[in-house]
Amino acid sequence: MEKKQFQAESKRLLEMMINSIYTQREIFLRELISNASDAIDKIYYKALTDDNLVFDKDSYYIKVTADKANRTLTIRDTGIGMTKEELENNLGVIAKSGSLAFKKENESKDGHDIIGQFGVGFYSAFMVADVVTVISKALGSDTAYKWESTGADGYTIEPAEKDAVGTEIVMKIKENTEDDSYDEFLEEYRLKSIIKKYSDFIRYPIKMDISGRRPKEGTENEFEDYQEEQRVNSMVPIWRKNKSELTAEDYESFYNEKHYGFDKPLKHIHISADGAVVYQAILYIPGSTPFDYYTKEFEKGLELYANGVLIMNKCADLLPDYFSFVKGMVDSESLSLNISREMLQHDRQLKLIAKNIESKIKSQLQSLLKDEREKYEQFYSAFGRQLKFGVYSDYGSHKDVLQDLLLFHSSKEKKLVSLDEYVSRMPEDQKYIYYASGPSNERIEKLPQTELVAEKGFEILYFTDDIDEFAIKMIMKYKDKEFRSVSSGDLGIESEESSDKDEAAKDSHKELFDYMKGLLADKVTGVRASKRLRSHPVCLSTEGEVTIEMEKILNAMPNNPNVKADKVLEINVQHDVFKSLQDAFEKDKDKLNLYTALLYNQALLIEGLPLQDPVEFTNDICKIMV
């Protein structure tokens, strides 16, 4: 028996892999089971071209056996086995993938694939074992061989006894330390749970001797322990079944089994793609918001399988942030794998799948909006805010994907409406899509700034979410119609006749408004006659990109940027209050000073802005009462 050394590169890679590449030790079992499945696949491939070889699927399986007394864990398969040369090449040179080489020689359109990177995944066994022994007998060979290693020091190969074709991997499980317990990898329940988690959909039976307790035959009160060989994997994943075979209850059960959420999903999407990239997926649109959804702790992503083997619990690259609420899984035979199944190479295939998934999600949401409005509004109540963030993020680069999915409350409909619904009923003479911002629909309805737009019979969208106005600024236009705040300086409504009157009023009241502007100093950029007010005496409008609502939101942030909107104090010259201003301007400047301060503070209160000096404001009210 000759002791052989690993290549220097392989030795370093082995040490690095054991210590850092795999973040969870339990993955070793997934890797070894996947390799066993690959070995059976190889016989299947052979049978496709070799008439002398009959592939009877029922004869092929994987057996996992734990021996607590001897601290060994054995994984046995009835696959193709390895010759002495193959043992040396596949196990002696790390990252030499026998499966990959075999696949290149045996391309098939049948749908079976070989995903194992054998030389790499095999060495994950050393995360839990001091000694790894491999006994293998190759198909068509009369001799079996034993490969054995204690890790980076090297390995031995020698002839061995084995009756059946296949491979047996025996791991001498490490002893427990103060920091680590390895006993779990000898426990029946733990092994079963790892297999269910990672390898439940391997297409060959994974068997274990399962312990049980039963009444002893011929007795009434005596019991006996027994062991019975059972299959512990389900073998056929739901996503590979025909949609016609499945019911809504099947999809809901899968949602619950996978612990995607505690709610009932609103909708599922079952995808079977067979084009540039081959994959299956089952996606869910949840019915309620997870408790941590809008926190830093929330982790987006879909479960990712490669040919039925779980690669990642949450693959974030499969979902854009604005669809991060989607739950589910993807299984593909087209993905390239890096040095472990845990580390996906972010290649073209993954991007194609992600792009396709994004399109499917959008299409499903649009269908929900069109055909099941009540369900869509339930969804929107939970996740509409995320869609708006998606519009705003990345400088509005996703607005075309998302703008048709947005809903806002409407002054006319008194319910949620889409932008398309709003624009479809706009009168011909309406230039803009009008909106008003505020803390609630009730508060917005009372805003003085809405009077002119409402009088013209134009619909107003109500923005009550702090992200609304920021998102709309990114959209800018919808179907060639610009968005315009009811507080904007130019509403695009005035007729030529009213414009002439406004210009005349502006000239006749210039001295009064200039005086008031002087009193308010830098608090406003101007005082002017209002074109929008009808019953109310005063309001604030804005000039520039920053509105009053945006100012409030920005200044409520932790790192207060102290952004200020350019405010204009608008006076209703048709209101009785204006006559009092004129009289005071002509006869009593002190009274005008008082009126100006009161009107400005009234305008601030209407907008929900803080008063600079509440005590002074209450004293001013008292002055006009005596």
Side-chain angles (χ1 to χ4, degrees):
M1 180 175 66
E2 181 186 354
K3 179 91 171 185
K4 299 191 177 185
Q5 296 297 315
F6 293 116
Q7 293 180 359
E9 278 186 13
S10 299
K11 185 175 179 178
R12 285 199 299 272
L13 184 57
L14 172 59
E15 291 169 343
M16 182 176 71
M17 181 175 173
I18 292 172
N19 294 324
S20 64
I21 286 179
Y22 288 90
T23 54
Q24 293 174 292
R25 290 192 183 98
E26 65 186 31
I27 289 172
F28 84 93
L29 190 55
R30 176 191 74 181
E31 293 297 319
L32 298 181
I33 287 174
S34 294
N35 290 336
S37 174
D38 293 343
I40 299 173
D41 275 343
K42 288 178 181 180
I43 289 188
Y44 174 82
Y45 270 102
K46 290 282 189 189
L48 292 177
T49 56
D50 187 346
D51 293 337
N52 296 318
L53 186 61
V54 177
F55 185 83
D56 178 8
K57 197 170 182 178
D58 293 336
S59 301
Y60 296 93
Y61 61 89
I62 300 159
K63 180 75 178 281
V64 178
T65 307
D67 182 344
K68 287 186 180 180
N70 294 306
R71 290 193 72 79
T72 61
L73 178 65
T74 301
I75 298 170
R76 178 165 59 89
D77 68 65
T78 57
I80 200 164
M82 286 179 280
T83 63
K84 179 182 179 183
E85 183 183 15
E86 286 170 336
L87 279 168
E88 190 158 340
N89 287 341
N90 290 344
L91 306 189
V93 182
I94 298 177
K96 166 74 173 179
S97 173
S99 298
L100 187 60
F102 188 92
K103 178 188 173 185
K104 288 177 179 176
E105 295 169 8
N106 297 274
E107 293 295 342
S108 167
K109 295 180 181 177
D110 183 76
H112 282 67
D113 199 0
I114 302 205
I115 63 172
Q117 301 291 326
F118 192 91
V120 173
F122 168 77
Y123 279 91
S124 62
F126 286 98
M127 291 189 293
V128 300
D130 289 323
V131 183
V132 178
T133 304
V134 180
I135 302 170
S136 191
K137 185 175 184 180
L139 181 69
S141 175
D142 294 328
T143 309
Y145 289 90
K146 181 172 79 171
W147 180 102
E148 190 167 85
S149 174
T150 56
D153 289 339
Y155 61 93
T156 60
I157 296 181
E158 61 180 332
E161 292 295 323
K162 191 176 190 305
D163 294 332
V165 170
T167 299
E168 191 173 294
I169 299 173
V170 183
M171 289 163 279
K172 181 74 172 178
I173 301 299
K174 294 178 180 180
E175 296 290 340
N176 293 338
T177 66
E178 286 186 13
D179 299 323
D180 299 300
S181 172
Y182 294 94
D183 285 353
E184 61 177 310
F185 302 117
L186 295 167
E187 294 292 341
E188 181 183 298
Y189 76 93
R190 181 71 173 113
L191 294 170
K192 276 180 65 178
S193 70
I194 295 172
I195 292 168
K196 290 294 288 183
K197 180 178 180 180
Y198 293 107
S199 307
D200 197 38
F201 307 123
I202 291 288
R203 60 177 157 268
Y204 304 109
I206 303 172
K207 300 179 180 181
M208 285 182 64
D209 292 327
I210 303 300
S211 302
R213 191 169 176 79
R214 63 192 172 195
K216 198 170 183 179
E217 193 174 341
T219 67
E220 290 185 7
N221 300 317
E222 292 185 45
F223 291 85
E224 64 179 358
D225 295 324
Y226 73 97
Q227 280 197 325
E228 183 179 73
E229 187 178 78
Q230 295 178 13
R231 190 188 82 209
V232 294
N233 63 321
S234 63
M235 291 176 60
V236 182
I238 182 176
W239 59 84
R240 287 188 178 165
K241 294 181 179 179
N242 290 327
K243 297 175 191 178
S244 58
E245 297 177 40
L246 299 167
T247 65
E249 288 73 24
D250 291 327
Y251 289 109
E252 282 181 29
S253 296
F254 184 66
Y255 184 85
N256 294 326
E257 284 169 14
K258 300 299 288 181
H259 304 294
Y260 290 143
F262 298 103
D263 59 333
K264 182 179 179 181
L266 286 177
K267 211 72 178 173
H268 69 264
I269 309 168
H270 191 159
I271 307 170
S272 294
D274 189 10
V277 59
V278 178
Y279 75 96
Q280 294 87 34
I282 295 180
L283 311 175
Y284 294 93
I285 297 170
S288 60
T289 318
F291 72 94
D292 62 343
Y293 185 68
Y294 290 109
T295 70
K296 290 180 181 178
E297 284 69 39
F298 180 79
E299 188 180 357
K300 71 164 183 170
L302 301 175
E303 283 188 317
L304 183 60
Y305 293 79
N307 213 15
V309 179
L310 180 66
I311 305 302
M312 296 178 73
N313 278 315
K314 290 186 183 291
C315 183
D317 294 310
L318 286 170
L319 286 176
D321 284 345
Y322 42 86
F323 289 156
S324 59
F325 47 80
V326 173
K327 303 287 186 181
M329 52 65 57
V330 174
D331 184 12
S332 176
E333 301 174 8
S334 303
L335 288 173
S336 301
L337 297 181
N338 205 321
I339 54 174
S340 78
R341 290 181 172 84
E342 202 177 22
M343 290 183 167
L344 266 176
Q345 178 183 335
H346 296 160
D347 62 2
R348 180 173 171 271
Q349 304 289 351
L350 191 69
K351 290 173 184 174
L352 280 172
I353 293 173
K355 187 176 180 182
N356 196 330
I357 283 174
E358 178 188 38
S359 175
K360 295 286 187 183
I361 295 169
K362 181 185 175 181
S363 177
Q364 183 64 73
L365 290 174
Q366 285 178 313
S367 175
L368 209 60
L369 174 59
K370 180 184 175 184
D371 302 324
E372 299 178 79
R373 185 61 170 252
E374 191 175 328
K375 277 190 176 181
Y376 186 81
E377 290 188 12
Q378 182 185 341
F379 152 77
Y380 196 78
S381 173
F383 302 107
R385 183 178 174 85
Q386 187 67 13
L387 299 183
K388 297 171 195 173
F389 274 117
V391 171
Y392 175 70
S393 65
D394 298 327
Y395 304 100
S397 60
H398 313 298
K399 63 183 180 183
D400 291 339
V401 177
L402 300 171
Q403 59 188 8
D404 286 320
L405 299 174
L406 301 182
L407 298 180
F408 301 98
H409 278 277
S410 152
S411 61
K412 276 193 174 179
E413 296 291 312
K414 305 298 181 186
K415 63 180 183 181
L416 290 169
V417 303
S418 69
L419 296 178
D420 182 63
E421 289 165 345
Y422 180 102
V423 171
S424 68
R425 53 178 174 257
M426 280 176 62
E428 284 187 23
D429 61 335
Q430 184 178 339
K431 292 181 182 179
Y432 304 117
I433 299 172
Y434 294 105
Y435 69 86
S437 301
S440 67
N441 294 336
E442 293 72 26
R443 286 280 295 274
I444 291 174
E445 284 178 344
K446 295 175 182 177
L447 284 177
Q449 293 92 328
T450 63
E451 287 190 306
L452 176 62
V453 178
E455 183 181 79
K456 289 290 290 182
F458 296 157
E459 191 171 3
I460 303 170
L461 297 176
Y462 291 174
F463 289 0
T464 55
D465 208 341
D466 55 11
I467 189 64
D468 287 346
E469 213 167 354
F470 293 91
I472 288 302
K473 292 285 184 186
M474 288 297 173
I475 296 177
M476 294 186 291
K477 287 184 179 182
Y478 182 80
K479 295 192 174 178
D480 295 324
K481 295 290 184 180
E482 287 184 34
F483 292 88
R484 187 60 54 95
S485 169
V486 295
S487 298
S488 170
D490 177 17
L491 291 174
I493 291 177
E494 297 79 19
S495 66
E496 191 174 320
E497 180 184 350
S498 65
S499 182
D500 291 340
K501 286 181 181 178
D502 291 336
E503 286 300 318
K506 180 179 176 183
D507 292 338
S508 62
H509 308 315
K510 185 177 187 304
E511 287 185 39
L512 168 59
F513 291 153
D514 285 348
Y515 182 84
M516 293 175 71
K517 166 65 176 74
L519 291 175
L520 295 171
D522 59 351
K523 295 174 182 176
V524 296
T525 58
V527 179
R528 65 182 175 217
S530 179
K531 302 173 185 178
R532 75 190 78 235
L533 293 175
R534 292 296 181 264
S535 62
H536 294 270
V538 67
C539 74
L540 287 173
S541 63
T542 56
E543 295 175 333
E545 289 299 312
V546 180
T547 66
I548 291 171
E549 280 302 310
M550 292 171 78
E551 174 189 310
K552 288 192 284 186
I553 292 161
L554 290 170
N555 291 331
M557 291 180 176
N559 299 321
N560 187 331
N562 198 27
V563 173
K564 297 294 182 187
D566 291 332
K567 304 178 189 70
V568 175
L569 186 68
E570 294 196 4
I571 306 295
N572 183 356
V573 296
Q574 306 301 320
H575 199 281
D576 290 342
V577 164
F578 181 65
K579 294 174 184 175
S580 299
L581 289 174
Q582 286 179 308
D583 289 343
F585 181 57
E586 293 172 8
K587 302 172 186 176
D588 189 345
K589 291 293 194 297
D590 287 340
K591 189 173 281 188
L592 178 60
N593 297 350
L594 176 64
Y595 289 167
T596 300
L598 280 170
L599 286 171
Y600 173 68
N601 281 321
Q602 279 183 314
L604 290 178
L605 287 172
I606 288 168
E607 294 295 338
L609 290 168
L611 302 182
Q612 190 171 357
D613 191 341
V615 174
E616 184 181 5
F617 175 65
T618 56
N619 288 338
D620 286 345
I621 291 175
C622 290
K623 287 177 186 176
I624 62 169
M625 294 175 69
V626 294

